[in-house]
């Protein structure tokens, strides 16, 4: 990464993450096909819903003939973390129009959020619409195209886990976390490692006591609060 915030740089910075999108989107396509969805419906869901893990949940609930309201509620809860992410990035685009902010928020993903947070370490705490829009666009197009390809390949692939596609997204997040810790100059490395350890511990405990659709947002809010307290008390 560098300190450039133009559209071309946004594409370049996002390209290393597309392999994660390809893997998980193709896995979704395969699973959607095995659940009885046509290639057209798999592609349409990726175009309109574009919700990653929520799409997997939706497919499984549709296959189980669940009512529409629980499906909508589950999708909202799983993606409610995007509210926190959008609020975090919103101050950097306060001079942009409402339409541009809606566009950025609508296509924001965990990956583009992680890239944006990491980019701040190189740009003196600045972001641009062109850069983030490029990142979002690359992610969106990759997801849609890959999910359609996955649905097509679903006729030949019965188990995506054989190819490690289920681990692609995890690997990408590990890489983003590593880069964030490596280049973030605003926070003490010890504090970052402590917060990471707390996050892992709370996630492990949360899996025991909380439903998975609430786990991410509960752990995020709790860890952020603990991190602020630790920083004020010791750093």
């Amino acid at each position: 990464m560098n300190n450039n915030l133009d559209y071309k740089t946004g594409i370049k910075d996002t390209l290393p993450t597309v392999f994660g999108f390809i893997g998980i989107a193709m896995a979704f396509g395969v699973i959607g096909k095995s659940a009885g969805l046509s290639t057209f419906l798999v592609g349409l869901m990726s175009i309109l819903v574009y919700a990653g893990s929520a799409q997997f949940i939706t497919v499984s609930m549709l296959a189980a003939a669940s009512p529409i309201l629980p499906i909508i509620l589950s999708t909202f809860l799983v993606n409610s973390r995007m509210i926190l992410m959008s609020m975090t990035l919103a101050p950097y685009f306060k001079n942009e129009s409402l339409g541009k902010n809606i566009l950025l928020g609508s296509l924001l993903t965990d990956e583009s959020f992680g890239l944006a947070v990491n980019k701040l370490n190189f740009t003196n705490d600045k972001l641009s619409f062109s850069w983030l829009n490029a990142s979002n666009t690359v992610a969106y197009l990759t997801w849609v195209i890959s999910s359609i390809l996955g649905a097509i390949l679903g006729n030949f692939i019965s188990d995506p886990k054989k190819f490690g596609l289920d681990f692609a997204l995890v690997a990408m997040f590990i890489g983003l976390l590593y880069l964030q810790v490596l280049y973030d100059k605003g926070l003490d490395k010890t504090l970052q490692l402590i917060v990471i350890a707390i996050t892992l511990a709370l996630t492990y405990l949360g899996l025991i006591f909380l439903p998975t659709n609430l786990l991410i947002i509960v752990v995020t809010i709790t860890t952020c609060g603990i991190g602020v307290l630790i920083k004020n008390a010791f750093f």
Side-chain angles (χ1 to χ4, degrees):
M1 280 191 176
N2 52 44
N3 61 357
N4 294 328
L5 286 168
D6 55 88
Y7 194 90
K8 183 177 180 180
T9 302
I11 295 176
K12 181 180 178 182
D13 289 342
T14 307
L15 285 179
T17 70
V18 301
F19 296 102
F21 282 107
I22 292 172
I24 201 69
M26 290 186 69
F28 166 72
V30 171
I31 292 172
K33 191 71 172 181
S34 66
L37 296 182
S38 66
T39 301
F40 172 76
L41 288 177
V42 168
L44 188 63
M45 182 179 290
S46 290
I47 291 171
L48 298 179
V49 180
Y50 187 49
S53 56
Q55 289 183 221
F56 285 89
I57 293 173
T58 300
V59 166
S60 63
M61 294 181 74
L62 286 173
S66 299
I68 188 65
L69 187 59
I71 293 176
I72 293 174
L73 181 60
S74 296
T75 301
F76 172 76
L77 290 175
V78 169
N79 284 307
S80 57
R81 69 189 186 281
M82 294 301 171
I83 298 174
L84 297 177
M85 294 181 184
S86 297
M87 290 174 61
T88 300
L89 296 183
Y92 298 100
F93 302 98
K94 59 185 177 182
N95 294 325
E96 300 290 351
S97 66
L98 177 61
K100 287 185 176 181
N101 275 276
I102 291 176
L103 177 61
L104 292 178
S106 297
L107 296 182
L108 187 68
T109 65
D110 299 289
E111 296 77 18
S112 57
F113 173 81
L115 284 172
V117 172
N118 191 40
K119 188 70 174 181
L120 293 171
N121 298 314
F122 298 85
T123 61
N124 194 27
D125 263 4
K126 294 180 181 178
L127 290 174
S128 73
F129 170 81
S130 295
W131 182 89
L132 187 54
N133 185 46
S135 179
N136 284 344
T137 300
V138 170
Y140 180 67
L141 293 177
T142 302
W143 177 267
V144 172
I145 294 171
S146 298
S147 63
I148 293 174
L149 290 176
I152 295 173
L153 291 174
N155 296 313
F156 311 98
I157 301 175
S158 59
D159 185 8
K161 293 182 179 180
K162 289 181 180 179
F163 301 91
L165 297 181
D166 57 318
F167 189 71
L169 195 62
V170 177
M172 181 173 60
F173 279 126
I174 292 174
L176 289 173
L177 177 61
Y178 171 77
L179 291 175
Q180 175 62 22
V181 173
L182 183 65
Y183 292 109
D184 192 341
K185 308 301 181 182
L187 294 174
D188 188 276
K189 292 290 185 294
T190 302
L191 174 61
Q192 294 186 58
L193 294 176
I194 290 174
V195 172
I196 291 171
I198 293 174
T199 301
L200 293 174
L202 290 179
T203 301
Y204 178 80
L205 293 175
L207 287 170
I208 301 174
F209 301 105
L210 294 174
T212 54
N213 53 8
L214 288 176
L215 179 62
I216 294 177
I217 191 167
V218 170
V219 170
T220 298
I221 294 174
T222 303
T223 306
C224 286
I226 294 174
V228 170
L229 292 175
I230 294 175
K231 180 181 178 183
N232 292 337
F234 302 103
F235 296 90

